[in-house]
Amino acid sequence: MAYERYRCWILGNCPTLGTGPVVDLLAGSASGGTAVLCTYPLDLARTKLAFQVNNTDQPSNGLKRPSAPPSYGGIKDVFRGVYSEGGVRALYRGVGPTLMGILPYAGLKFYIYEGLKAHVPEDYKNSVTLKLSCGAAAGLFGQTLTYPLDVVRRQMQVQSHLQHDQSGGPRITGTFQGLKIIKQTQGWRQLFAGLSLNYIKVVLVTVTH
């Protein structure tokens, strides 16, 4: 809904942009950002609930398990606990890298998808298989470029307000600082930890869109 609304607004107010992939890029980025702002606290709750039941000390999807994580009984419990730590702002901890990731990801996904469809022969325009292939390729490309930002977001979501996080490293307070800290303390490979599994999710989600 947001994508179509933004696209119509851009076409009506910025005629110089035409009707090509640039409009899809801008509308996709704006709609992706809107979706993030509306649903981010739920994503934060999901990450915290999933993180607390990880019984391994090994990094998983860019996360490191703290020694004594808080215990949450459900989504409402997460909201109460996080809100008591820092108010509404705490519910959006990590939204910076998320927006920096979703804006190019959503924009690139629509941009590449429309670009790939434009090169499909007219006889195959209605082919479901080709549409799925174009959507999957667009999602994989966008996810690969923006995945390190997703790793930073997850580590920001599960860390506490302490100066140092519970794994002993410095606390992440910003996107670029987080990228630098993870690279220095965990290695650059950690920025892509879990990417192969995420590819499966991206393909399934993208083709259903």
Side-chain angles (χ1 to χ4, degrees), residues 5 25-26 49 52 79 105 113 124 140 155-156 171 191 195:
R5 293 283 183 133
L25 177 67
L26 295 175
L49 288 171
Q52 74 175 3
F79 285 163
Y105 170 68
Y113 176 68
Y124 298 95
L140 291 175
Q155 294 210 10
M156 289 183 71
R171 182 171 177 270
L191 292 172
L195 179 59

Side-chain angles (χ1 to χ4, degrees), residues 79-110:
F79 285 163
R80 282 194 294 266
V82 174
Y83 184 82
S84 65
E85 291 178 3
V88 175
R89 185 175 181 179
L91 292 172
Y92 283 86
R93 186 183 304 143
V95 73
T98 304
L99 287 174
M100 291 187 66
I102 197 63
L103 294 179
Y105 170 68
L108 284 171
K109 185 174 69 173
F110 283 106

Side-chain angles (χ1 to χ4, degrees), residues 9-151:
W9 186 89
I10 294 172
L11 291 174
N13 293 273
C14 305
T16 56
L17 295 177
T19 59
V22 174
V23 175
D24 300 316
L25 177 67
L26 295 175
S29 297
S31 61
T34 299
V36 165
L37 292 176
C38 291
T39 62
Y40 190 79
L42 291 172
D43 186 66
L44 176 69
R46 180 194 65 172
T47 301
K48 285 185 173 293
L49 288 171
F51 185 65
Q52 74 175 3
V53 298
N54 179 12
N55 294 319
T56 173
D57 290 329
Q58 298 299 320
S60 175
N61 200 18
L63 302 179
K64 281 195 172 181
R65 179 178 173 84
S67 56
S71 177
Y72 299 111
I75 295 177
K76 291 183 179 180
D77 196 19
V78 174
F79 285 163
R80 282 194 294 266
V82 174
Y83 184 82
S84 65
E85 291 178 3
V88 175
R89 185 175 181 179
L91 292 172
Y92 283 86
R93 186 183 304 143
V95 73
T98 304
L99 287 174
M100 291 187 66
I102 197 63
L103 294 179
Y105 170 68
L108 284 171
K109 185 174 69 173
F110 283 106
Y111 179 86
I112 295 172
Y113 176 68
E114 296 296 338
L116 290 174
K117 281 204 311 179
H119 289 84
V120 174
E122 194 64 34
D123 295 340
Y124 298 95
K125 287 289 186 181
N126 295 323
S127 171
V128 176
T129 302
L130 279 177
K131 288 182 179 180
L132 293 178
S133 299
C134 291
L140 291 175
F141 183 79
Q143 182 65 58
T144 302
L145 291 180
T146 60
Y147 190 77
L149 297 173
D150 192 52
V151 173

Side-chain angles (χ1 to χ4, degrees), residues 188-208:
W188 68 268
R189 291 179 180 274
Q190 189 66 21
L191 292 172
F192 293 92
L195 179 59
S196 58
L197 292 176
N198 215 53
Y199 278 157
I200 301 174
K201 171 187 172 183
V202 169
V203 171
L204 293 176
V205 171
T206 301
V207 297
T208 55

